[in-house]
Amino acid sequence: MTDPMKKRMISACNTWLLICFCCTLLTGCWDRIEINDLAIVLATGVDYKNDQIELTSQIFIPRKAGGGDSTGSGGSPSGVTLTRSAEGHTIAEALNRLQRKVPRNMFWGHCEVIVISEDAGKKGIREFIDFFLRYPQIREHAYVFSTPDPAKNILALLDPLERSSAESLREMANMKLGTRITVLELAQSIEGPNQSVILSRMLTLAPDEGQDKLTTTPYIKGLSLYKGDRFNRSVQEPLTVGILMLANELNNIIMPVNVEPERGSFSIQPLEVKTILKPNISGSQWSMKVDVQTRGEVVLNTTNGNLTDPAVLKKLEETWASQLKEMATSALRLSQREMRTDLFKFAVEFRRYYPKQWKEQEKRWEQIYSDMDVDLQIHAQVVRTGKSAGPQGIPDEQGR
């Protein structure tokens, strides 16, 4: 046998030995978990009950996802969800006990909504945040809501429009009907320099006549304000408008504006609200200039004023700006004087523009913020008057 032939045979043998060795490493998906063995969690609720933490999960039922059974219990009318709860001295212990009540491996990777009751918030939510960010399956981008009711009751609602109350809450967050806060943003706000957070406050609509009490929808009404990691108080309109405006999160709202001496009002829908913070330190004096710029559209006119008249339009813009400034001033008074809590992330701007002074005075921030002069400027402009510019929607010419 010639040398070239020997070399080819040796090379072929080596190749086959390598293939055989590699095959021994291909042992398959030995650690797989079939989808039929998973309990997919869509939402999580945290309550405080009997001096313990109560953890509730809303679980997807895949076998009913296609419909057919309209008598689901503990979930949506199509029967695609159910809820389970467990208590523990810590949230981790509650989760461990919750798993014992579910015959499948609980999978939290699809949990997009977390609801925390105000009673649980009064005890402090730092432990909850640590768990949600540390536990590997839970999404850090899950939306967080607050409620004065037990959180488990919100998750148990049988939403007639969506497949589950979790989907309703997620869509409300995406529509920016209140604040849109994720778990990660919640942690950053509480641990950040401002040490506060604003959460949308969820209530429950009354069911239609003849419907089960759970066959209804959650809705947003007001805000829950946190100082540090603890729930401080809840607020309602019109104060919520000023708070959301200064927090740069005012969206999806229609505001009635009364322009004297006209009878009736103009209803304006802001198309854009932008809040710009400009910090300043002069000697020992810390101050903040807040510039709010908004553009809006008139969607209703119940007055006799004609918006084609520049004088009427100017008066409307001035009155609207004055009304917004009054709301913002009330929000500042609550934040600075009553709560003594930086709700609007002033501290973030001072740390960014004055890092040296911030480091020196960081521990005195609560006192500095409470005594700070705030120059509030509102610039409001009406850029659209709707399909009709005349009073009460009446076209200028008839018969067309």
Side-chain angles (χ1 to χ4, degrees):
M1 183 178 296
T2 62
D3 290 341
M5 292 180 63
K6 290 181 178 180
K7 290 181 179 179
R8 286 196 295 269
M9 290 181 64
I10 293 173
S11 177
C13 290
N14 290 338
T15 301
W16 279 107
L17 287 173
L18 180 61
I19 292 174
C20 292
F21 176 74
C22 291
C23 288
T24 62
L25 302 178
L26 301 178
T27 57
C29 301
W30 59 271
D31 62 342
R32 73 186 186 279
I33 300 178
E34 297 291 345
I35 186 67
N36 292 335
D37 296 327
L38 294 177
I40 300 174
V41 178
L42 302 179
T44 302
V46 182
D47 293 300
Y48 194 79
K49 180 180 178 182
N50 300 326
D51 294 327
Q52 289 187 319
I53 296 169
E54 184 178 41
L55 187 67
T56 303
S57 63
Q58 184 184 90
I59 301 172
F60 178 63
I61 308 176
R63 68 174 180 273
K64 294 185 179 180
D69 183 0
S70 60
T71 59
S73 176
S76 67
S78 59
V80 299
T81 62
L82 60 86
T83 58
R84 291 289 183 268
S85 302
E87 299 176 13
H89 291 94
T90 66
I91 191 170
E93 183 180 40
L95 181 139
N96 181 256
R97 292 178 177 176
L98 180 60
Q99 176 64 83
R100 299 176 188 179
K101 296 183 178 182
V102 180
R104 296 185 179 186
N105 290 295
M106 298 184 69
F107 178 71
W108 301 78
H110 288 285
C111 179
E112 298 181 313
V113 170
I114 296 173
V115 183
I116 302 175
S117 71
E118 292 178 354
D119 285 340
K122 292 175 183 177
K123 302 298 180 180
I125 61 175
R126 196 178 305 274
E127 173 189 332
F128 311 150
I129 297 173
D130 180 90
F131 175 76
F132 291 140
L133 290 178
R134 193 178 300 273
Y135 195 69
Q137 288 189 10
I138 296 180
R139 293 183 176 187
E140 63 183 21
H141 296 297
Y143 296 125
V144 184
F145 296 90
S146 177
T147 178
D149 304 321
K152 63 184 297 182
N153 292 354
I154 298 292
L155 300 190
L157 295 180
L158 316 177
D159 195 309
L161 184 61
E162 302 289 351
R163 291 191 304 172
S164 65
S165 57
E167 286 195 8
S168 294
L169 295 173
R170 184 194 63 197
E171 292 301 323
M172 290 179 186
N174 289 333
M175 291 172 63
K176 300 180 180 180
L177 297 177
T179 59
R180 187 170 67 168
I181 302 294
T182 65
V183 175
L184 180 59
E185 292 168 340
L186 178 63
Q188 291 172 339
S189 295
I190 290 178
E191 299 297 335
N194 53 301
Q195 296 184 355
S196 66
V197 71
I198 306 170
L199 296 179
S200 293
R201 190 169 185 257
M202 306 305 303
L203 297 179
T204 303
L205 284 173
D208 294 335
E209 185 177 354
Q211 294 291 330
D212 184 90
K213 65 178 182 179
L214 295 179
T215 309
T216 185
T217 304
Y219 73 103
I220 295 176
K221 185 176 182 180
L223 301 170
S224 293
L225 308 182
Y226 278 72
K227 181 174 183 177
D229 72 325
R230 294 180 182 272
F231 169 76
N232 186 277
R233 68 184 67 191
S234 60
V235 294
Q236 306 292 334
E237 290 187 11
L239 188 55
T240 57
V241 177
I243 292 174
L244 291 174
M245 179 169 50
L246 294 180
N248 216 8
E249 294 195 44
L250 183 62
N251 298 279
N252 278 332
I253 189 170
I254 296 178
M255 307 176 59
V257 179
N258 298 308
V259 180
E260 296 181 355
E262 297 285 351
R263 298 180 61 183
S265 65
F266 297 90
S267 293
I268 301 178
Q269 182 175 25
L271 302 173
E272 179 187 24
V273 181
K274 186 177 181 180
T275 302
I276 302 172
L277 304 180
K278 299 179 181 179
N280 180 65
I281 298 179
S282 179
S284 60
Q285 297 297 317
W286 294 44
S287 62
M288 177 68 75
K289 181 178 180 181
V290 180
D291 185 12
V292 179
Q293 302 175 4
T294 180
R295 299 160 58 251
E297 174 183 14
V298 176
V299 296
L300 176 65
N301 178 9
T302 61
T303 74
N304 291 323
N306 194 324
L307 293 175
T308 59
D309 185 347
V312 174
L313 186 61
K314 182 179 180 180
K315 182 66 174 178
L316 173 61
E317 291 177 338
E318 291 175 349
T319 306
W320 184 28
S322 176
Q323 184 172 313
L324 288 173
K325 187 170 185 177
E326 183 179 349
M327 293 177 176
T329 301
S330 298
L332 278 171
R333 186 183 306 112
L334 169 69
S335 178
Q336 288 186 284
R337 303 290 185 265
E338 297 181 33
M339 290 184 62
R340 296 173 64 88
T341 303
D342 178 13
L343 297 173
F344 314 119
K345 299 182 179 180
F346 284 12
V348 174
E349 299 302 315
F350 276 104
R351 186 178 65 174
R352 177 181 297 140
Y353 287 96
Y354 299 95
K356 182 179 179 181
Q357 293 91 328
W358 169 259
K359 189 174 182 180
E360 294 173 351
Q361 301 294 331
E362 180 179 1
K363 294 182 179 179
R364 296 185 57 248
W365 174 243
E366 181 176 315
Q367 182 64 41
I368 292 174
Y369 177 74
S370 300
D371 297 335
M372 183 182 302
D373 291 330
V374 179
D375 179 17
L376 182 60
Q377 300 293 329
I378 308 290
H379 300 89
Q381 182 182 13
V382 175
V383 295
R384 298 179 189 172
T385 58
K387 293 187 292 184
S388 175
Q392 300 183 23
I394 301 174
D396 295 334
E397 297 182 16
Q398 301 292 336
R400 289 192 177 183

